[in-house]
C-alpha cells in the first residue's frame, strides 16, 4: 500500500508564497516521476510541474519562473514552492507520484490567492 499526504495549502494574498509538500509512505523503495496538477472550480485538472527521478524539471507556461518543484529522495517527499502567487493560481493542488508501473494521487490541498 502507498499513501500520499499533501500539506502546505492555505490562503495567501496576491504576490505571496506557499510551499506544498507531498510525502509518500508505504511498501516501496523509492518514488519515480512526480507531477503536480491543479484544478480550479469549474475547470479541468491541469498539469503544473514535473520532476524526474534524476531531478530534471519542467513547468507549465503559466507558472514558469514562479514555481519550483523539488524532491528529497531519502524522505520520499516532493515539494512545490510557489512564489508571486496570483488569484488565477487559486485551485486544489494534487501530487501525482509514479512508483513502479503505478500512479498514485494525493488527496489534494486547497490554495486560495486573494487579490
Amino acid at each position: 500500500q502507498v499513501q500520499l499526504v499533501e500539506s502546505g495549502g492555505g490562503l495567501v494574498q496576491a504576490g505571496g508564497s506557499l510551499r506544498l509538500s507531498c510525502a509518500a509512505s508505504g511498501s516501496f523503495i523509492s518514488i519515480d516521476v512526480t507531477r503536480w496538477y491543479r484544478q480550479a472550480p469549474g475547470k479541468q485538472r491541469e498539469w503544473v510541474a514535473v520532476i524526474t527521478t534524476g531531478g530534471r524539471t519542467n513547468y507549465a507556461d503559466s507558472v514558469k519562473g514562479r514555481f519550483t518543484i523539488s524532491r528529497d529522495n531519502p524522505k520520499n517527499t516532493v515539494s512545490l514552492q510557489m512564489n508571486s502567487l496570483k488569484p488565477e493560481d487559486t485551485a486544489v493542488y494534487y501530487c501525482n507520484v509514479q512508483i513502479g508501473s503505478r500512479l498514485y494521487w494525493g488527496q489534494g490541498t486547497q490554495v486560495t490567492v486573494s487579490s
Side-chain angles (χ1 to χ4, degrees), residues 32-111:
D32 301 320
V33 177
T34 301
R35 298 171 178 85
W36 284 95
Y37 290 81
R38 66 186 181 185
Q39 187 166 17
K43 295 187 177 181
Q44 289 188 334
R45 190 171 297 188
E46 64 173 355
W47 168 75
V48 174
V50 61
I51 185 165
T52 68
T53 305
R56 287 183 298 174
T57 60
N58 199 10
Y59 301 89
D61 288 342
S62 59
V63 307
K64 199 169 292 184
R66 300 187 297 120
F67 290 12
T68 302
I69 189 171
S70 61
R71 61 191 297 151
D72 184 335
N73 290 333
K75 294 183 178 180
N76 290 317
T77 299
V78 176
S79 298
L80 185 68
Q81 177 67 41
M82 306 185 295
N83 299 328
S84 301
L85 283 162
K86 305 175 181 180
E88 51 263 43
D89 295 318
T90 295
V92 178
Y93 284 71
Y94 299 89
C95 62
N96 174 265
V97 176
Q98 180 178 341
I99 298 176
S101 61
R102 297 189 63 178
L103 294 174
Y104 299 88
W105 288 92
Q107 82 280 9
T109 185
Q110 176 70 46
V111 171

Side-chain angles (χ1 to χ4, degrees), residues 5-51:
V5 177
E6 297 181 31
S7 61
L11 173 64
V12 65
Q13 288 187 333
S17 299
L18 285 173
R19 185 177 181 86
L20 307 183
S21 291
C22 175
S25 62
S27 301
F28 60 90
I29 297 174
S30 62
I31 60 176
D32 301 320
V33 177
T34 301
R35 298 171 178 85
W36 284 95
Y37 290 81
R38 66 186 181 185
Q39 187 166 17
K43 295 187 177 181
Q44 289 188 334
R45 190 171 297 188
E46 64 173 355
W47 168 75
V48 174
V50 61
I51 185 165

